[in-house]
Amino acid sequence: MTAESSKTLKKTSSMDLPIMMTYKVFNDPIHGTVPLHPLLVRMIDTPQFQRLRYMKQLGGCYFVYPGASHNRFEHSIGVAHLAGELVKALQTRQTNLDITDKDVLCVQIAGLCHDLGHGPFSHQFETFIHLTRPGWKHEEASLEMFDHMVESNDLEEIMKEHGLKRRDVTFIKEMIEGRSPEGSTFEGRPDKLFLYEIVANKRNGIDVDKFDYLARDAHHLGINASFDHLRFIHFARVCKVDGIQQICTRDKEVDNLYDLFHLRYLLHRRAYQHKVNKIIESMILEAFEEADQHIQIEGSGGKKFKLSTAIEDMEAYTKLNDDVFGQILHSPNPQLAKAKKILKRIVSRQHSRFLGETKPTKAMITEMKSVDGVEALKLRRKKELVEACQDAGLTTIEDDFDVHIIKMDYGMKDKDPIMKMGFYSKSDPETAVTLTEDQASMFKPTCFSEQLIRVYWKKIDETTQKIDKTGLRKVQKCVSQLL
C-alpha cells in the first residue's frame, strides 16, 4: 500500500489552530481510495508503525493458504479508514451528538494504532507470553508502544499543533485498550460513550476492526464475504437503549449482522482453526520456547532482552517481528539447534499429521471450563489412544500423539451477540430496542459455540527423521474407530 497522490485542504473547524493540511491518498485492495489525515501519515512513517509491515495478519495461515500474505500494516490503515467513515457518518447524520473534528481524528488514530502491540505471528506470540505471564494481552503492549512512538518521534508537539491535548490522548488510549462499558470509568469522552464502540466494541463485538479483518482475510483467503460493512455504516445511528446511548442500526439489518458473525465463524472453521494451521502454530510456539533463552534483542541503554521479555522494553520490542522465524531457521548458533530443527520441519512440511476430530460430550465441555480440566482431558485422551492401538496390536506411547481443543463461537461464547444490538425502525429513527427471541428470525442459529477435540500423529521415524508414515497408516484406522 503506497501513497499515490495528495490533496491540500484548509482546516478551520473545532481544532484549536486552523492549519493547511495535506491528505495523502492510499490505494487499498479492500476499500479503494483511502485519504488519511497528515497526523496519521506522520504516525505511519515511524519505525513503531512500519514494524507492522513485517507481521502477517494470519500468522501460520500463510503456510496453508498462499494468498494469506497480508500484514498488520494494511489492516491497521484499513481500520483507521473505516473508523473515520463511521464516526463522520454519525457526525453528519446526527449533528445533535456534537461530534467534533477532534473526536473524528482521535477515533481514527485509535483505529490506526490499535494493533501496535502485536508480536511475531500475532496471537501465537500472545500464547507464548502467557506461559510466563498468564492473562497478558497485546492491547497492553499497544498502549506502551503508542507512548513510545509519540515520545521517540517527537509527535507530542505535532499532536498539539493539530489541537490534541492530554484529555484527547487519554481518549485515544482508552479506545485502544478497548474497555468494557460495564464497570469501567472513562476520562477521555465520558459524555460520548458511543464513540468507544467504533474501534473495539466490548458490548457486542460489532466494530470496524472486525469489519476490516473479516473483509481483508476473506479476500486474501479466496472466501466469499456476505457481510456488507458499508450498509452498516449507512444505517448506523446513535440511539438510547435502556437509557444508554449506543450505536444502533435499522431493524431490517438483522440478517446482515448475522452474516457478519457467520463469516467470522466460517473463517475460523476454514482458516484460523484449520487443522494444519493449528499444528503449525503449535510448532512455532514450541520453537519459541526452545529459542527463548538463546536470542538476545538489544533494547534501551544497550540492555539485552529475550523473546519473552522484549515486551518489557519498547525499543527492543520494536525490533521484534516475524523475521525472528528466519533468524532462528538460518542461525549458525548451536544453542538454537532444537528450535531450528522444528522450523525446518515446518518449511519441509514434516509436521504432525491429522488423525481425526470429534465433538466433546456435555461432561467434557463442563470439564474444559478450567485450564486444569483441559489438560486432564488431553492426557486422558492420549491414554485412550494408546490403549486402542494396543488392542489392535500396535505399539505406541502417549508422546506419539498430540491433542488439540478447538473452540469456535460468535465472539461471546455461547451467547448471541445480536441480542446486545439496538435496532430502530424507519418510522421512529430516534428510538431503538434490543430484540427478543420471538422477534429474531426463525432462520437464525440456535447454537453460538462449537468445540472440537482433534488428534494428531507426531511420531518421527528414527531413520529418516521424518513423520513415521508407516505407523501413521496403521494408527489412522485404529484411531478412526475410537473417534
Side-chain angles (χ1 to χ4, degrees):
M1 185 184 296
T2 58
E4 294 193 334
S5 60
S6 63
K7 54 182 179 179
T8 303
L9 301 176
K10 186 176 182 180
K11 203 72 173 175
T12 56
S13 60
S14 56
M15 296 296 183
D16 290 354
L17 296 172
I19 54 178
M20 296 298 293
M21 293 192 295
T22 301
Y23 277 61
K24 282 194 174 180
V25 178
F26 293 77
N27 185 38
D28 182 71
I30 307 303
H31 307 300
T33 301
V34 176
L36 290 181
H37 188 285
L39 180 54
L40 271 68
V41 176
R42 182 67 181 83
M43 291 178 172
I44 289 171
D45 292 338
T46 63
Q48 291 73 32
F49 191 88
Q50 290 293 316
R51 164 180 176 268
L52 299 181
R53 286 185 184 272
Y54 311 106
M55 288 193 290
K56 292 287 182 290
Q57 177 77 11
L58 297 185
C61 255
Y62 187 42
F63 290 98
V64 181
Y65 286 88
S69 58
H70 54 302
N71 304 304
R72 293 274 162 189
F73 179 83
E74 50 265 37
H75 162 65
S76 297
I77 291 176
V79 175
H81 168 67
L82 290 181
E85 292 298 293
L86 178 51
V87 70
K88 283 186 282 189
L90 296 174
Q91 181 188 43
T92 303
R93 194 171 297 137
Q94 296 176 272
T95 56
N96 61 304
L97 295 175
D98 192 29
I99 298 174
T100 66
D101 288 350
K102 191 187 294 187
D103 294 335
V104 172
L105 181 57
C106 289
V107 171
Q108 288 176 310
I109 293 173
L112 185 75
C113 300
H114 78 289
D115 270 355
L116 284 177
H118 268 294
F121 296 90
S122 299
H123 296 291
Q124 201 56 27
F125 185 78
E126 203 160 333
T127 303
F128 169 63
I129 297 297
H130 287 170
L131 298 175
T132 53
R133 289 193 180 190
W136 180 86
K137 295 182 178 180
H138 73 269
E139 288 86 356
E140 298 175 26
S142 291
L143 295 177
E144 293 184 47
M145 188 66 81
F146 178 79
D147 286 338
H148 177 59
M149 178 184 71
V150 170
E151 181 181 354
S152 62
N153 296 280
D154 299 321
L155 294 180
E156 187 172 358
E157 288 303 316
I158 300 174
M159 293 170 74
K160 287 180 180 179
E161 290 176 9
H162 289 281
L164 300 187
K165 301 179 180 179
R166 181 174 297 179
R167 177 171 174 263
D168 302 310
V169 174
T170 298
F171 175 44
I172 292 168
K173 293 175 70 173
E174 287 174 339
M175 286 187 286
I176 292 174
E177 184 182 5
R179 295 187 180 184
S180 173
E182 286 84 21
S184 299
T185 57
F186 299 88
E187 299 177 17
R189 296 293 189 275
D191 55 331
K192 303 173 184 176
L193 294 182
F194 58 88
L195 292 176
Y196 291 91
E197 299 180 358
I198 293 175
V199 175
N201 190 341
K202 297 300 181 181
R203 186 185 306 281
N204 52 40
I206 301 171
D207 52 47
V208 296
D209 178 27
K210 192 175 274 85
F211 293 174
D212 183 85
Y213 83 69
L214 290 180
R216 195 172 300 277
D217 293 353
H219 172 80
H220 287 281
L221 292 167
I223 294 174
N224 291 329
S226 53
F227 171 69
D228 186 348
H229 61 265
L230 295 179
R231 280 186 65 88
F232 180 89
I233 292 174
H234 178 77
F235 288 111
R237 288 185 66 85
V238 174
C239 305
K240 279 192 175 181
V241 180
D242 298 328
I244 301 173
Q245 283 190 319
Q246 302 174 23
I247 296 178
C248 305
T249 191
R250 273 288 304 277
D251 45 10
K252 67 177 182 178
E253 291 302 296
V254 174
D255 290 337
N256 191 32
L257 291 182
Y258 274 118
D259 282 344
L260 167 71
F261 289 102
H262 180 70
L263 175 60
R264 181 184 184 275
Y265 165 78
L266 185 65
L267 289 175
H268 270 274
R269 194 73 167 87
R270 294 177 59 181
Y272 311 153
Q273 309 289 350
H274 187 283
K275 60 182 183 294
V276 177
N277 176 46
K278 296 309 293 182
I279 197 63
I280 286 175
E281 287 185 345
S282 69
M283 292 173 74
I284 291 173
L285 175 61
E286 187 181 353
F288 281 178
E289 291 180 68
E290 292 289 347
D292 189 31
Q293 300 295 327
H294 313 297
I295 287 183
Q296 297 288 303
I297 305 168
E298 185 174 336
S300 54
K303 187 178 178 181
K304 303 292 185 179
F305 294 87
K306 302 184 297 183
L307 271 179
S308 60
T309 59
I311 58 173
E312 299 171 4
D313 184 277
M314 289 301 105
E315 187 173 325
Y317 200 41
T318 301
K319 300 173 184 177
L320 188 58
N321 53 50
D322 286 2
D323 287 349
V324 70
F325 186 103
Q327 292 171 18
I328 296 171
L329 183 63
H330 304 297
S331 174
N333 186 349
Q335 293 179 312
L336 289 171
K338 287 185 178 180
K340 185 175 181 177
K341 185 176 181 180
I342 295 168
L343 298 187
K344 276 187 173 181
R345 288 181 56 208
I346 292 176
V347 298
S348 62
R349 308 298 289 181
Q350 290 298 321
H351 51 70
S352 302
R353 293 299 192 265
F354 178 69
L355 291 175
E357 65 185 16
T358 185
K359 291 185 178 180
T361 63
K362 289 184 178 180
M364 289 178 179
I365 292 174
T366 301
E367 181 181 5
M368 289 190 293
K369 289 183 178 180
S370 69
V371 175
D372 291 340
V374 170
E375 294 306 314
L377 178 61
K378 287 182 178 180
L379 182 60
R380 190 167 68 251
R381 176 59 72 174
K382 287 181 181 181
K383 290 181 178 178
E384 292 170 350
L385 290 165
V386 171
E387 291 173 1
C389 289
Q390 289 175 343
D391 291 342
L394 303 174
T395 301
T396 59
I397 59 175
E398 292 173 16
D399 285 345
D400 292 338
F401 299 97
D402 202 359
V403 177
H404 289 186
I405 307 298
I406 304 300
K407 298 180 180 180
M408 294 173 286
D409 55 44
Y410 269 25
M412 296 183 69
K413 297 184 178 180
D414 59 344
K415 304 296 183 183
D416 181 359
I418 306 300
M419 295 297 150
K420 295 286 187 178
M421 185 69 187
F423 296 90
Y424 66 87
S425 65
K426 184 177 182 179
S427 60
D428 187 6
E430 302 303 321
T431 304
V433 296
T434 54
L435 297 180
T436 64
E437 291 292 339
D438 293 336
Q439 293 170 320
S441 170
M442 292 292 291
F443 292 96
K444 79 179 185 69
T446 56
C447 178
F448 300 94
S449 64
E450 181 180 20
Q451 297 188 47
L452 297 170
I453 302 176
R454 287 178 178 163
V455 177
Y456 295 85
W457 174 254
K458 64 176 187 177
K459 185 176 181 180
I460 302 296
D461 185 278
E462 294 180 1
T463 304
T464 63
Q465 292 300 302
K466 296 180 180 180
I467 286 293
D468 179 8
K469 292 186 179 180
T470 302
L472 172 65
R473 287 191 289 270
K474 295 178 180 178
V475 169
Q476 274 179 326
K477 184 177 180 180
C478 177
V479 170
S480 63
Q481 295 174 349
L482 175 64
L483 296 178

